[in-house]
Amino acid sequence: MANRASDDIQSTEENGRIALRLLCTTDLHGHVLPWDYTAGRRDCRVGLARLAPLIRAHRRRCANTLLFDNGDFLHGNPMADAESVRLAAGGAAPHAVAVAMNALGYDAGTLGNHEFNRGLELLRRVLDQLAHPVTSANLRGLDAFPLAPSGLLLRRRLRDAAGRERLLRIGVLGLAPPQCVEWDRRWLAGRVGARDIVAAARARAGALRQRGADLVVALAHSGLGPEAPAPPCAENAGRALAALPGIDALFLGHSHELHPAPGEDGLLHGTPVSQAGRFGSHLGVIDLGLARDATGRWHVAHARSRSEAPGPASAQVHRELVAASARQPHLRMLEQLRRPVGRSRVPIDSHFALVAPDASLQLLCDAWRRSATSLLAGRAEAMLPLLTVAAPFRSGGHGGARHFLSLPAGPVTERHLRALQPHPDQLCLSVVDGAALAGWLEQGARLFRRLLPGSRDQALIDPSMPPYGFDVIDGLTWRIDPTRPIGARIDDLRHAGRVVAPDDRFVVAVSSHRLSGTGPLARALRQGQIPVPAQPLHAALRAHLAAGPVAPRPRRSWRFAALPGTAAWFEAPDAARRTVSRVAARGIAPLAPARDGLLRFELRLGPQDAARPIDFAPRLGYGGCAMTRTPRCPAAMTP
């Protein structure tokens, strides 16, 4: 019905007016095909090839149609990442994602933060392979590397309601989170500079107008952001951007959300805004009715936006696009993912990773510990206790994601390994103190809503918080009280049964992703980083699995505070009903079916057993006593 209503723009326009349709993909993350590589099955909810028939249908219905991409198109999918590795190694064939995008005939695009994950040289090669121009208004090259033009002026001949051709100059500007310079600082430090996203948009929109742009389209790889009076941030600057003068249409991304909600017109501060989810789940659509004023200048007479998913009747894929760009890389990736890398004596799942210690995270921590111990051999920091950190990537997701891990006992393949650790990050070692660890855990505890003591029907998980921010630090024990305000939820933080003091010192083995942020934790990790050889996380996990059969048993590292009479609910797949007996926590019971095929569980926060001190004997590789400068531990030393 929405399509029919939007198509009526053409029929209702007066003579001389123009109906213009703008389409946009965002956060494809290399998803060309409707396939989930880590689950090993077709996924009819994702894939650029799945959007292709919808794009083609829009072009048939509206003669004046432009197609854009809003960034994060290149990395984040096993097949796309493998294509980048092939290209970086000197492969001659174009990147499969570039071939697919060329087949669809994009008009322009911009850069997201993940375009930089494998370095500037690779990015330059892919940009050269794209048939459409790419712009970035707030990122600029600081050396000889040409990044992207700060704005584009597209000249398009459009047909008005009477069928006459009209030449319009369409300005396009692209924006990315300036934090990406820090997130990928190993590639970008000293080579790429960043400007405030709102200031850059204001300046570039004005410059495009001065160059003669009839209208300006902003491709902002940024989320919508909070309602006022909360201040906007560069990762969620959408509301602030929509309020800027000079921007006629705004596409958002990065946060993997959808905007507008069904039935809404999508206008913010009078500007049409659209955000199209993730992985090709939706297509952003903005319809503009253009008219001329008394001076002959074009302006937007009316507008509306939506995010649109292919319906059941149009869920087929673009077969030619699949054959041209992705068939061979897809088959190569399937063959690679079938290779065995180890064996597990026990089933491993992540159904309850956000409510109790979890076997899948324990397996990762054990693997990081094995590699970190080897990397520390012969170094003074080896005298410090070693902690390992893992994050739950497949425990429900946010922004519409519903991913869980479920591995049966038996052979572990490369596909299982990628499901356990989806991102190609590096293992890093840093020295941190007890104060940083307490702040780290407080940051993760933001995942939980503030609970009302004595209440039972309340949600436990805040869906706006990504679960991969809930790091588990193996080697410590701690308690979380979700009835307390954010920032004061962690207590009883101990190492080897002993309370952790703010100046106690530890070595942590952690993903390079945690060192790439802009907050105090990332700065502390970078400041204490130990210079060791690069160790890819995939390689560390592969080596651990190859060393012999694994049987990870989650240690009772963390627990919720005892809150008699208090309960909260969370969602997990129906299969979790059969695995609840393996959870290292009491008081979990199924309640009722929930949306998207999930099951609602209740977590009763009554009295629970205290966590047992973790044995830190050398045979388990947990190191010695925490080092401190205080006389409270006379035997301690400071390396």
Side-chain angles (χ1 to χ4, degrees):
M1 185 64 69
N3 288 343
R4 184 183 300 275
S6 60
D7 290 337
D8 289 343
I9 293 177
Q10 280 185 296
S11 61
T12 59
E13 289 295 338
E14 296 178 2
N15 189 24
R17 294 197 173 189
I18 294 176
L20 175 62
R21 178 162 297 169
L22 308 176
L23 310 177
C24 189
T25 56
T26 190
D27 294 273
L28 291 172
H29 289 286
H31 286 74
V32 176
L33 302 182
W35 192 267
D36 185 337
Y37 289 96
T38 54
R41 61 174 179 263
R42 181 182 176 87
D43 187 348
C44 63
R45 301 167 298 177
V46 303
L48 183 59
R50 173 180 159 273
L51 287 181
L54 181 60
I55 294 170
R56 186 168 50 191
H58 275 296
R59 285 170 167 161
R60 285 198 307 265
R61 289 193 292 262
C62 182
N64 304 317
T65 299
L66 276 68
L67 175 63
F68 303 103
D69 181 77
N70 200 20
D72 274 8
F73 64 90
L74 189 56
H75 297 125
N77 168 286
M79 185 198 77
D81 290 346
E83 281 289 277
S84 294
V85 171
R86 176 189 61 78
L87 204 62
H95 198 290
V97 175
V99 176
M101 297 183 81
N102 291 344
L104 288 180
Y106 280 80
D107 289 275
T110 192
L111 300 172
N113 51 292
H114 283 288
E115 265 68 74
F116 301 99
N117 286 171
R118 293 184 179 271
L120 291 174
E121 284 69 23
L122 174 70
L123 175 58
R124 179 72 269 167
R125 290 193 63 185
V126 175
L127 293 182
D128 287 343
Q129 295 169 357
L130 292 175
H132 62 269
V134 171
T135 176
S136 182
N138 68 321
L139 301 180
R140 65 191 186 282
L142 299 178
D143 56 11
F145 180 83
L147 191 57
S150 58
L152 302 172
L153 198 60
L154 307 180
R155 289 173 170 81
R156 295 291 186 269
R157 292 193 176 275
L158 308 180
R159 292 194 177 275
D160 64 17
R164 292 187 297 252
E165 280 193 351
R166 305 279 189 172
L167 176 64
L168 262 73
R169 294 169 295 252
I170 302 169
V172 183
L173 61 92
L175 303 158
Q179 297 99 316
C180 65
V181 175
E182 285 295 325
W183 293 336
D184 275 307
R185 64 195 313 269
R186 61 175 176 152
W187 303 112
L188 306 185
R191 302 190 65 188
V192 173
R195 187 181 179 188
D196 176 75
I197 197 168
V198 177
R202 181 185 294 109
R204 185 46 46 191
L208 287 170
R209 293 287 185 184
Q210 291 180 356
R211 290 173 56 190
D214 295 302
L215 68 150
V216 174
V217 179
L219 308 176
H221 194 76
S222 178
L224 186 60
E227 298 271 5
C233 69
E235 288 189 78
N236 294 287
R239 295 184 190 277
L241 292 170
L244 291 178
I247 293 179
D248 298 292
L250 174 62
F251 289 103
L252 299 178
H254 185 62
S255 61
H256 294 187
E257 297 174 343
L258 293 172
H259 179 84
E264 297 180 355
D265 61 13
L267 300 182
L268 289 175
H269 304 289
T271 302
V273 180
S274 176
Q275 185 173 357
R278 53 192 274 283
F279 304 169
S281 64
H282 291 71
L283 183 67
V285 184
I286 293 179
D287 283 317
L288 302 177
L290 305 179
R292 276 181 162 175
D293 59 21
T295 66
R297 293 179 178 271
W298 291 98
H299 68 278
V300 177
H302 57 81
R304 58 185 162 207
S305 70
R306 63 189 182 276
S307 57
E308 184 177 335
S314 59
Q316 75 275 16
V317 300
H318 193 304
R319 302 296 178 183
E320 295 179 5
L321 182 149
V322 172
S325 66
R327 179 173 175 79
Q328 290 306 316
H330 173 67
L331 294 177
R332 286 196 300 266
M333 178 49 57
L334 293 184
E335 181 181 0
Q336 179 181 338
L337 294 177
R338 284 193 290 265
R339 296 172 187 167
V341 294
R343 189 174 186 84
S344 176
R345 293 194 178 102
V346 298
I348 302 172
D349 61 68
S350 63
H351 301 156
F352 301 106
L354 302 182
V355 298
D358 172 76
S360 66
L361 298 183
Q362 191 62 59
L363 174 59
L364 297 178
C365 287
D366 292 344
W368 307 163
R369 185 174 300 280
R370 178 188 292 270
S371 289
T373 301
S374 175
L375 293 171
L376 286 170
R379 300 189 62 95
E381 294 90 350
M383 296 293 295
L384 293 169
L386 174 61
L387 310 175
T388 55
V389 183
F393 284 100
R394 299 185 70 86
S395 54
H398 78 304
R402 288 296 182 186
H403 295 306
F404 293 88
L405 179 75
S406 185
L407 309 183
V412 179
T413 66
E414 184 73 19
R415 176 174 69 81
H416 298 145
L417 182 147
R418 300 295 184 94
L420 284 160
Q421 174 54 46
H423 301 295
D425 298 324
Q426 305 286 319
L427 183 68
C428 293
L429 304 181
S430 292
V431 176
V432 298
D433 59 25
L437 291 173
W440 195 340
L441 295 173
E442 288 285 2
Q443 182 174 303
R446 296 169 61 91
L447 175 74
F448 305 110
R449 291 180 181 270
R450 189 171 184 182
L451 301 185
L452 182 65
S455 178
R456 298 182 66 88
D457 186 13
Q458 51 190 330
L460 176 65
I461 307 297
D462 183 349
S464 69
M465 300 297 295
Y468 51 78
F470 182 68
D471 284 327
V472 171
I473 306 179
D474 187 44
L476 301 176
T477 61
W478 66 97
R479 182 170 54 204
I480 302 175
D481 187 345
T483 65
R484 295 179 181 176
I486 289 174
R489 294 179 168 181
I490 303 297
D491 64 6
D492 199 27
L493 178 59
R494 296 174 181 267
H495 171 263
R498 173 179 165 276
V499 174
V500 174
D503 56 354
D504 287 346
R505 301 172 70 236
F506 303 83
V507 173
V508 292
V510 63
S511 165
S512 57
H513 177 69
R514 285 291 177 258
L515 278 72
S516 61
T518 57
L521 173 61
R523 290 194 293 269
L525 290 171
R526 290 197 296 267
Q527 183 177 0
Q529 186 172 4
I530 302 171
V532 295
Q535 172 75 289
L537 292 181
H538 286 158
L541 182 54
R542 201 174 287 117
H544 181 69
L545 291 167
V550 297
R553 296 183 60 186
R555 287 182 275 271
R556 298 188 62 186
S557 54
W558 69 276
R559 64 204 186 279
F560 287 111
L563 301 165
T566 304
W569 56 262
F570 64 95
E571 295 175 349
D574 186 72
R577 191 197 304 265
R578 300 188 296 272
T579 62
V580 69
S581 61
R582 298 202 300 266
V583 182
R586 299 178 180 178
I588 296 179
L591 284 177
R595 57 194 175 93
D596 298 330
L598 299 179
L599 187 65
R600 182 170 291 186
F601 286 80
E602 182 184 57
L603 173 66
R604 293 185 292 275
L605 301 173
Q608 300 179 34
D609 295 336
R612 299 172 183 171
I614 293 179
D615 187 350
F616 63 94
R619 64 186 178 83
L620 292 181
Y622 279 90
C625 295
M627 302 304 176
T628 177
R629 295 185 177 89
T630 67
R632 186 168 54 85
C633 184
M637 58 176 287
T638 302

